[in-house]
Amino acid sequence: MGHEVTAAPLKARRHDTTRHHLADLEAEAIFILREVVAERENPVLLFSGGKDSIVLLRLAEKAFRPARFPFPLMHVDTGHNFSEVIAFRDEIVGRLGERLVIASVEESIRTGRVSEEKGPRASRNRLQTVTLLDAILEHRFDAAFGGARRDEDRARAKERIVSHRDAFGQWDPKNQRPELWSLYNTRIAKGENVRAFPISNWTELDVWDYIKKEELALPSIYFAHQRDVFQRDGMLYTSSPIIPLLPGEKIERREVRFRTVGDLTCTGAVSSSAKTIDEVLVEVRSAVITERGATRADDKTGEAAMEDRKREGYF
């Protein structure tokens, strides 16, 4: 007679497996943070107030506390961000007592470094690249930590954990350094820099599992709420004065949440009733499209959209 397997032990085994998996990912990320800080002279951590960069902050706390971070935080601010996310960004930076550098796309437009797009589909998202590269040059950063993950996009799946950028801040996917046995090459020539991605090997589900384990606070828009939205190109956009409606588009009140946050002109919401982390986890486990693939218009402009931007110097 076979032994009956009850639901409780199965659930316990899943929990134990997840716990060990997250511990391995955490240890790898902390090692990457410490290794790059040890090898480079002037690093910076990119922080937007989104879920991935919030996880990155917790990992930095575990890597370097009780000392202060050996780098400032930097947000490349388009000026068209969700107000809830900006408020959360400022609150968490203030609580940590760390220095925040604001690299402003608005300032880049004002000084003529970039030209603002026009029309109902205009976005400042692509303009971030010039602002980022200018900030790296101004502050002489030689390494920038980012929260990108390989499961987000095919171009990011090509990325090394420590990614070399030339003197123009550009990335060449055909000229990447090997990373054998977790050996990361951070050597650069004068004027060059590296981007480092400590959570490269994490998935969206890993991020949410870690948020639950660490009991991390998040901006409210990651959970279901009522919002005025309109449909365009298969996405639900936030109603905003900076996004003119096209003929036939109408605003409606919907219960939605956001899987990713960025410039509101290119970031869509998803219909959802998930108001808790456990409810979000149920949705994430059943998702068949990555969060960027489902809700970021800037990744829908072409099959190589992300790779083209990364070649130019994007995150």
Side-chain angles (χ1 to χ4, degrees):
M1 179 181 295
H3 296 288
E4 182 179 354
V5 179
T6 63
L10 283 174
K11 185 176 181 180
R13 284 201 294 273
R14 282 197 299 269
H15 174 76
D16 193 54
T17 299
T18 299
R19 181 169 56 84
H20 286 294
H21 174 63
L22 291 177
D24 289 342
L25 291 174
E26 179 186 78
E28 178 188 54
I30 290 172
F31 173 76
I32 293 164
L33 284 161
R34 290 173 173 168
E35 183 75 3
V36 174
V37 165
E39 294 292 331
R40 299 303 334 137
E41 296 179 1
N42 190 26
V44 65
L45 188 146
L46 301 175
F47 180 66
S48 66
K51 67 182 189 306
D52 299 313
S53 58
I54 289 167
V55 165
L56 210 52
L57 276 192
R58 173 52 58 88
L59 293 166
E61 287 186 273
K62 293 195 173 189
F64 304 111
R65 287 298 196 232
R68 294 191 65 182
F69 294 165
F71 41 69
L73 311 178
M74 182 166 72
H75 181 206
V76 182
D77 187 349
T78 68
H80 289 168
N81 298 288
F82 294 94
S83 59
E84 302 97 322
V85 179
I86 295 300
F88 184 89
R89 178 202 71 185
D90 293 342
E91 187 277 328
I92 196 169
V93 171
R95 177 174 59 79
L96 289 172
E98 297 293 343
R99 180 165 71 97
L100 177 66
V101 175
I102 304 293
S104 169
V105 173
E106 188 83 50
E107 180 69 10
S108 297
I109 294 170
R110 189 188 66 77
T111 57
R113 290 289 295 144
V114 294
S115 298
E116 185 150 28
E117 298 176 4
K118 305 297 182 182
R121 287 187 169 85
S123 172
R124 291 181 175 180
N125 200 58
R126 189 163 191 139
L127 307 184
Q128 293 179 88
T129 299
V130 171
T131 305
L132 171 64
L133 295 179
D134 284 351
I136 288 174
L137 181 62
E138 176 187 353
H139 297 280
R140 299 182 180 180
F141 294 132
D142 58 9
F145 292 107
R149 309 187 322 268
R150 286 175 174 152
D151 72 324
E152 293 179 279
D153 182 272
R154 285 180 296 177
R156 285 185 166 165
K158 296 179 181 180
E159 187 85 85
R160 296 289 193 264
I161 288 176
V162 175
S163 175
H164 172 263
R165 303 300 171 105
D166 65 20
F168 300 99
Q170 297 175 331
W171 172 67
D172 182 357
K174 295 181 180 179
N175 186 27
Q176 298 190 81
R177 297 161 170 177
E179 291 183 338
L180 305 176
W181 308 291
S182 299
L183 296 176
Y184 304 115
N185 187 342
T186 63
R187 289 176 295 178
I188 56 173
K190 185 176 181 180
E192 298 177 341
N193 65 84
V194 295
R195 308 287 172 81
F197 305 105
I199 61 171
S200 287
N201 292 326
W202 298 46
T203 65
E204 183 184 11
L205 181 58
D206 293 329
V207 167
W208 278 101
D209 277 331
Y210 193 75
I211 288 168
K212 178 179 178 180
K213 182 181 83 71
E214 295 292 313
E215 300 180 346
L216 299 180
L218 294 175
S220 59
I221 66 173
Y222 278 110
F223 302 98
H225 59 285
Q226 293 290 323
R227 184 176 287 263
D228 289 335
V229 298
F230 64 93
Q231 296 191 50
R232 176 183 295 177
D233 304 329
M235 290 172 48
L236 291 174
Y237 287 92
T238 294
S239 173
S240 169
I242 65 175
I243 312 178
L245 295 179
L246 295 171
E249 293 177 342
K250 61 179 182 179
I251 297 171
E252 54 184 321
R253 193 75 170 171
R254 295 274 292 270
E255 187 175 42
V256 300
R257 72 175 188 88
F258 290 83
R259 291 176 65 187
T260 181
V261 296
D263 188 296
L264 65 83
T265 61
C266 63
T267 304
V270 294
S271 295
S272 174
S273 60
K275 292 182 170 64
T276 68
I277 290 179
D278 284 330
E279 290 170 346
V280 170
L281 280 166
V282 171
E283 288 189 355
V284 173
R285 288 190 184 101
S286 62
V288 294
I289 303 176
T290 67
E291 67 265 46
R292 291 191 68 96
T295 63
R296 291 295 288 269
D298 50 327
D299 291 341
K300 297 177 182 290
T301 58
E303 290 187 2
M306 173 64 80
E307 183 162 330
D308 290 342
R309 291 201 305 281
K310 287 179 68 62
R311 287 175 184 269
E312 296 168 359
Y314 191 70
F315 314 136

